[in-house]
Amino acid sequence: MSGKKNSLTVADVAREAKVSKATAARVLGEYGIASEGARKAVLEAAERLGYQPNDLARSMSTGRSGLVGVIVGDIENAFFSQAVRGISDTLRAAGLNLIISNSSEQLSEEIEMVSVLLRQRVAGLIVAPTDARHVDHLKAALAAGTPVVTLDRHAPQLGADAVCGEDRQSVGRVLRRLQEEGHRHVAYVTAMKTRDGKLGRLEEIGISAVRERISGFLTQMREAGVEDPADLVFVGATGDDETTAVVTRILKRSPTITAILASDSLICARVFRELSDRGLTLPQDMTLVSWFDADWSRVTTPRISVVDQPTYQFGQKAAERLIARLKGDASPPRVYVIPTPLLERGTIGPAKTE
Amino acid sequence: MSGKKNSLTVADVAREAKVSKATAARVLGEYGIASEGARKAVLEAAERLGYQPNDLARSMSTGRSGLVGVIVGDIENAFFSQAVRGISDTLRAAGLNLIISNSSEQLSEEIEMVSVLLRQRVAGLIVAPTDARHVDHLKAALAAGTPVVTLDRHAPQLGADAVCGEDRQSVGRVLRRLQEEGHRHVAYVTAMKTRDGKLGRLEEIGISAVRERISGFLTQMREAGVEDPADLVFVGATGDDETTAVVTRILKRSPTITAILASDSLICARVFRELSDRGLTLPQDMTLVSWFDADWSRVTTPRISVVDQPTYQFGQKAAERLIARLKGDASPPRVYVIPTPLLERGTIGPAKTE
DNA sequence: TTGTACGCGTTATCAG
DNA sequence: CTGATAACGCGTACAA
C-alpha cells in the first residue's frame, strides 16, 4: 500500500558501471575478487546512484542476519536499560544490531516475543527468562541453531550460557554484615507475586535470581538462629500501594524487625519514601539495603547502601558470549558470574536495642 | 559458517498436506482464498511439522517489513527508556517490532545508524535528532518513502511529524513562578557542550529542545529585567566532575544566584548531591527545579519540584503518528506538543534576601 | 578475473 | 477454488 521503495539494486549499479551483476555484487558485497578497474567503476557508479544495499535480501541469501533479539523484563527499569546499553555497545562493535522486546515478566509474552524474533531470523537471542521452569521455547531456538544467552538469570535445563550476579552469595554477605551490627530479624521485600501473598515453595519461583536470593536469605537466617525466616519474606511489592502495605506490615512487627532488604531499586525508593513519610530516621530507626546501585542512591540522606549489580557489564558479557557462539564457539555452556559487592553507605546502622 | 538453520518452508508444508505450494502459501500467509478442506489440511500439516514462517522472505516479497527503527540519544537515560517503552507498547499493539539504536547524541553515529536501519529496510523511523541543522540523512529516508517521526525534538526543515514537550513555555512558566517568589538571578544548567564553555549563538545549538529552552530562558529573564542572562546559562555539565565545577561557579555567585534549573534528571541528581554535600538546605539556601519526573524525585528531602515530561506518552504519540503514516496518512507534517506541567514539590522557596 | 544461471522463502499473477 | 510460475535482491557454484 504505502511502501513504494524505489531502492536501487546491484543490477542497476552493474548496468551503470557496465559490468555484470555478479561483478558488481562481488565488490559491493566485499567478497570474491575483482580487478582494480572494475572495482573502481562499480564503487563510483554506486556512489553516483546512491546505492544502498538491501540487508534483507543479503540475509536471505546468506542465511545469517545481523540482528540479535533481546528480551528483557522491563526496559523502563534502569537495571535492564543499563544492561541493554552494554549489549548494544558490544554488539555494535561487532557489526550487529539489536531488536529489543519487553516481556513484562510474563511467560506468555516472552514466548510470543521469541516466536516473533525467530521469525525475523535473528542471529541470536539474549533473554532474561521469566520462568526458569518453562524454557522450551528457548530450547527450541537453541535446537534450531540460534544461540541463546540468558541475562541476570540461569535456567539449568536450558543448556545455554548465562550471565548472572552473585545472588546467593550477596544476600549472605549482606546478612552477615547486618548480623555483625546485631540485626536478627531482617525483612526481605520483593516484587514477586504469589497466589496467597505468602511465600510458597521455593521451586515455584520462576525467576532464578529471585529464587537464589530468597533461598540464600532463608539459609543464612536459619544459620543465625532465626526460627521462621519465611515470615520475614514480604512478597507482592509491585506498586506504590502494595509497597506501602508491606511497609505497614513490617513496621507493625517493629521493633522486632530492625532492617529491610529491598530486592530492587524501585522497591527501595518506595520503602525509603514510606519510611521518611512516617518520620523514621535512617539508620537509627531502621537499616535499609537495596540491590542495584541506581543513580539516585547517593542523593538521599543518608545515602543508600546497595549491592552493586553492574548491569552494563552483565550486558557486555552476555553480548560477548553470544558473539563467541556466533563465531562457532561450541564449548559447553557456562554460567558467568559477575561480582556484586556490597557498597556500604549511610543506611546501615546497629540494630535498635529495645 | 555457523547458521545451519534447518527451517521448514511452505513447500514442506504443502508436500505434507498434499496440496500445491501456492495453496499452502495462501492459507499460511492469510491472503487469497482456499477451501475449508485445504485450509484445515495445511494448518494441521504446519502444526505437525512445527512450521515457522520466515518474515525475512516475507518482507522481501512484500517490500514492507514489520520493523521500526528507533534512535535515541541514550537508552540508559530514563527519559529515553521510558519513551522507548511507550513506543514499544504502541508498536506491538499494531503488530510491529522495533530495532533500537543509540546515537550517544553524536551526529556521525546517528547518520551511521540511519544508514544501517535503512539497509534493514525498516518500515519507519522514530528519531531524537541530535542536530536539527543536519537532517539530510533523515530527509533522504523520507524521500525514499520511509516515514520519519522525531521524538522530543523538532527539525523544521525536515518536514516530518514531531512530538515535543512544551520546552519554551515550560521554562517561562517556571521562571514566572520563581519570580513570584522573588528570584531574579536563576541559573540554567545543561549538559550541552560548547567549544569555549560559554554559551554561543543560539542557532548553533543542535538539539532543538535545548535551544528552545535556553531561548525561552533568555527571553523571560530579559523581560524580568535581568541585564545579562547569558551569564546565567551554565553549559558542559556532562559528568560528575563537570557538574561539581558548575555548582562551584554558581555558588561563587551566591547570594546573587538564588535558584537553579537543571535541564535533566541526571544533572539534577548531581546538583542536589553537591548542594547537600556543601551543607546547603533546600529550599532555604537554594531553589532547585528540574526537567523530567525521575523515579527518585520524591525520595529526597525535600522532594524535587520538576517539569513533568511524560516521555512514555511522547513515545506513544510518536508511534501512533508513525503508524498513521504507515497506513497512508499523507496530511502535512505536524508538531504534536505534549503538556509538561510544573509539579511543585519541596524545592521551591522564596529568594534568600541578603 | 568475469559472467551465467540458479537458489533463498515468500508473495502475487494468471491461467486452468 | 487451485496450481504452475515469475518476481523480490542478493550470494555463489560453475563455467567461460
Side-chain angles (χ1 to χ4, degrees):
Chain A
M1 311 277 114
S2 67
K4 183 61 159 296
K5 316 283 171 143
N6 52 333
S7 48
L8 302 161
T9 77
V10 281
D12 298 317
V13 177
R15 201 175 308 121
E16 174 82 6
K18 294 184 195 307
V19 297
S20 79
K21 207 167 58 172
T23 306
R26 275 191 276 260
V27 359
L28 292 173
E30 297 178 335
Y31 62 92
I33 329 169
S35 69
E36 207 41 49
R39 184 180 181 66
K40 252 191 68 177
V42 171
L43 257 22
E44 279 175 3
E47 176 69 21
R48 199 165 339 127
L49 265 39
Y51 167 77
Q52 290 277 99
N54 183 334
D55 278 352
L56 238 59
R58 183 170 294 180
S59 302
M60 227 190 61
S61 286
T62 59
R64 60 176 149 268
S65 89
L67 259 30
V68 168
V70 177
I71 306 179
V72 295
D74 176 14
I75 186 64
E76 249 183 282
N77 190 326
F79 179 94
F80 284 121
S81 63
Q82 220 168 77
V84 166
R85 188 58 167 3
I87 293 172
S88 172
D89 288 352
T90 310
L91 246 34
R92 190 97 68 228
L96 297 165
N97 275 87
L98 79 179
I99 307 186
I100 174 166
S101 309
N102 247 101
S103 70
S104 304
E105 297 296 8
Q106 292 199 287
L107 181 60
S108 60
E109 293 209 37
E110 178 183 310
I111 291 174
E112 167 68 11
M113 288 308 111
V114 168
S115 168
V116 168
L117 294 171
L118 249 28
R119 283 207 287 266
Q120 299 283 352
R121 295 299 186 267
V122 291
L125 244 24
I126 295 177
V127 184
T130 283
D131 194 332
R133 296 162 307 162
H134 295 98
V135 290
D136 286 351
H137 52 300
L138 297 174
K139 210 180 285 187
L142 224 39
T146 307
V148 175
V149 176
T150 63
L151 180 74
D152 177 51
R153 300 162 194 182
H154 177 43
Q157 343 166 1
L158 177 57
D161 287 326
V163 177
C164 302
E166 305 170 298
D167 292 302
R168 214 190 164 72
Q169 294 171 53
S170 64
V171 77
R173 195 180 298 145
V174 170
L175 283 177
R176 280 191 298 276
R177 178 68 189 86
L178 296 191
Q179 283 155 1
E180 275 177 30
E181 293 287 342
H183 296 276
R184 275 178 55 79
H185 294 269
V186 178
Y188 186 89
V189 184
T190 172
M192 179 188 64
K193 277 197 286 194
T194 59
R195 285 145 290 285
D196 56 358
K198 305 281 281 183
L199 179 62
R201 298 171 50 219
L202 286 186
E203 303 79 47
E204 285 175 8
I205 301 177
I207 301 179
S208 66
V210 174
R211 176 167 19 77
E212 289 300 301
R213 295 229 285 266
I214 293 182
S215 163
F217 177 83
L218 297 178
T219 305
Q220 179 67 28
M221 290 294 273
R222 273 199 213 94
E223 228 165 72
V226 176
E227 60 287 356
D228 221 345
D231 276 359
L232 289 166
V233 177
F234 294 81
V235 302
T238 50
D240 262 317
D241 296 345
E242 292 84 350
T243 307
T244 302
V246 165
V247 171
T248 303
R249 286 167 52 211
I250 290 176
L251 291 181
K252 270 201 189 120
R253 289 168 62 182
S254 173
T256 305
I257 295 176
T258 55
I260 298 175
L261 265 38
S263 78
D264 70 48
S265 65
L266 287 172
I267 292 177
C268 180
R270 289 168 182 147
V271 169
F272 186 91
R273 176 148 39 99
E274 200 55 33
L275 294 177
S276 317
D277 284 358
R278 302 189 188 208
L280 299 193
T281 308
L282 271 49
Q284 289 78 7
D285 297 326
M286 185 66 79
T287 275
L288 177 64
V289 177
S290 174
W291 266 257
F292 190 68
D293 187 20
D295 55 5
W296 55 268
S297 301
R298 299 194 309 290
V299 307
T300 53
T301 308
R303 299 175 180 193
I304 314 275
S305 299
V306 298
V307 173
D308 181 23
Q309 298 173 294
T311 58
Y312 183 92
Q313 280 179 45
F314 283 30
Q316 246 181 340
K317 189 71 189 175
E320 279 169 17
R321 285 312 307 155
L322 190 67
I323 292 168
R325 294 297 178 187
L326 253 18
K327 282 186 177 162
D329 176 352
S331 58
R334 261 195 57 187
V335 179
Y336 296 83
V337 178
I338 310 287
T340 53
L342 170 62
L343 264 39
E344 199 163 335
R345 299 205 267 245
T347 54
I348 296 180
K352 204 178 179 178
T353 49
E354 202 47 21
Chain B
M1 307 277 111
S2 68
K4 184 63 159 296
K5 316 284 174 139
N6 53 335
S7 49
L8 303 160
T9 76
V10 283
D12 298 314
V13 177
R15 200 176 309 120
E16 173 82 6
K18 296 186 193 305
V19 297
S20 78
K21 201 168 66 170
T23 306
R26 273 191 279 260
V27 357
L28 291 173
E30 298 180 332
Y31 64 95
I33 330 171
S35 68
E36 208 39 50
R39 185 181 181 64
K40 251 192 70 178
V42 171
L43 255 23
E44 280 175 3
E47 176 68 22
R48 201 168 336 130
L49 266 39
Y51 166 77
Q52 289 279 96
N54 183 333
D55 279 352
L56 236 62
R58 183 171 293 180
S59 301
M60 224 189 64
S61 272
T62 59
R64 61 176 147 267
S65 88
L67 260 31
V68 168
V70 177
I71 306 178
V72 296
D74 177 14
I75 187 64
E76 247 183 285
N77 191 325
F79 180 94
F80 284 122
S81 63
Q82 220 168 78
V84 166
R85 189 63 184 326
I87 293 172
S88 171
D89 289 351
T90 309
L91 244 35
R92 191 98 69 228
L96 297 165
N97 275 87
L98 78 178
I99 306 185
I100 173 165
S101 309
N102 248 99
S103 70
S104 303
E105 298 295 8
Q106 291 200 288
L107 181 61
S108 60
E109 293 210 35
E110 178 183 311
I111 291 173
E112 167 68 9
M113 287 308 111
V114 167
S115 167
V116 168
L117 294 171
L118 249 27
R119 284 206 288 266
Q120 299 283 353
R121 295 300 188 265
V122 292
L125 244 25
I126 295 178
V127 184
T130 283
D131 195 331
R133 297 161 306 164
H134 294 99
V135 288
D136 287 351
H137 52 302
L138 297 174
K139 210 181 285 188
L142 226 38
T146 306
V148 175
V149 176
T150 63
L151 180 74
D152 176 52
R153 300 163 193 182
H154 178 44
Q157 343 165 3
L158 176 56
D161 288 325
V163 177
C164 302
E166 305 170 300
D167 293 302
R168 215 191 163 71
Q169 294 171 53
S170 64
V171 77
R173 196 180 298 144
V174 171
L175 284 176
R176 281 191 297 275
R177 177 69 189 87
L178 296 191
Q179 284 155 0
E180 276 175 31
E181 293 288 340
H183 296 277
R184 275 178 55 81
H185 294 269
V186 178
Y188 186 91
V189 183
T190 174
M192 179 188 64
K193 277 196 288 196
T194 58
R195 284 144 290 284
D196 56 358
K198 304 281 283 182
L199 179 64
R201 299 172 50 219
L202 287 187
E203 303 79 48
E204 286 176 8
I205 301 177
I207 300 179
S208 65
V210 175
R211 177 167 20 77
E212 288 299 300
R213 296 230 285 266
I214 293 181
S215 163
F217 177 85
L218 298 178
T219 306
Q220 179 67 27
M221 291 293 273
R222 274 198 213 94
E223 228 164 71
V226 176
E227 60 286 358
D228 222 343
D231 276 359
L232 290 165
V233 177
F234 294 81
V235 303
T238 50
D240 263 316
D241 295 345
E242 293 84 349
T243 307
T244 302
V246 165
V247 170
T248 303
R249 285 168 52 211
I250 289 175
L251 290 181
K252 270 199 189 125
R253 289 168 61 182
S254 174
T256 305
I257 295 176
T258 56
I260 299 175
L261 265 37
S263 78
D264 69 49
S265 63
L266 288 172
I267 292 177
C268 181
R270 289 165 182 149
V271 169
F272 186 90
R273 175 148 39 100
E274 199 56 34
L275 294 177
S276 315
D277 284 358
R278 304 192 187 205
L280 298 194
T281 308
L282 271 50
Q284 289 78 7
D285 297 326
M286 185 67 78
T287 276
L288 176 63
V289 177
S290 174
W291 265 255
F292 191 67
D293 187 19
D295 55 5
W296 55 268
S297 301
R298 300 194 309 290
V299 307
T300 52
T301 307
R303 299 175 178 192
I304 313 275
S305 298
V306 299
V307 173
D308 180 24
Q309 298 172 293
T311 57
Y312 183 92
Q313 280 178 45
F314 284 30
Q316 248 181 339
K317 188 72 189 176
E320 280 170 18
R321 286 312 306 157
L322 189 67
I323 292 167
R325 293 298 179 188
L326 252 17
K327 282 188 177 160
D329 177 353
S331 57
R334 261 194 57 187
V335 179
Y336 295 83
V337 178
I338 310 287
T340 54
L342 171 61
L343 264 38
E344 197 162 337
R345 298 205 269 243
T347 54
I348 297 180
K352 204 176 180 178
T353 47
E354 202 47 23

